[in-house]
Amino acid sequence: TNSFMATASLDFPSTASGTSTGLVIAVTGALLGDPVVLGFTNYVAGWMFTPRSSNAAVHVVFHNFSGSAGDPPPSLFKVRVIQ
């Protein structure tokens, strides 16, 4: 089993309720469809963050289900890709 880790500060833009925005963390060795474990330092009810691996990257998507626009402050995100 291989694993690849990366850490990045991500600053998502203001996102309307019911929509999503995504940012990318470079992860050398990651492949499309690899399982990803995501850690982050921000939690707000109605907000959800999901990871998705692709070649040499992890896409982190912010989903806003809060009922109003959400603008997460810059936060540290950690990802581990497992092969």
Side-chain angles (χ1 to χ4, degrees):
T1 301
N2 293 320
S3 69
F4 308 97
M5 296 178 63
T7 302
S9 179
L10 300 181
D11 187 5
F12 289 89
S14 181
T15 302
S17 181
T19 64
S20 303
T21 56
L23 297 174
V24 176
I25 299 174
V27 183
T28 302
L31 298 173
L32 181 64
D34 285 344
V36 180
V37 177
L38 175 68
F40 57 94
T41 57
N42 232 347
Y43 175 78
V44 173
W47 292 4
M48 183 171 70
F49 297 91
T50 57
R52 179 179 52 87
S53 65
S54 64
N55 293 332
V58 169
H59 299 261
V60 179
V61 180
F62 164 51
H63 307 274
N64 181 3
F65 303 111
S66 69
S68 61
D71 189 4
S75 299
L76 189 64
F77 286 77
K78 298 178 182 181
V79 294
R80 178 177 289 211
V81 176
I82 302 164
Q83 293 180 332

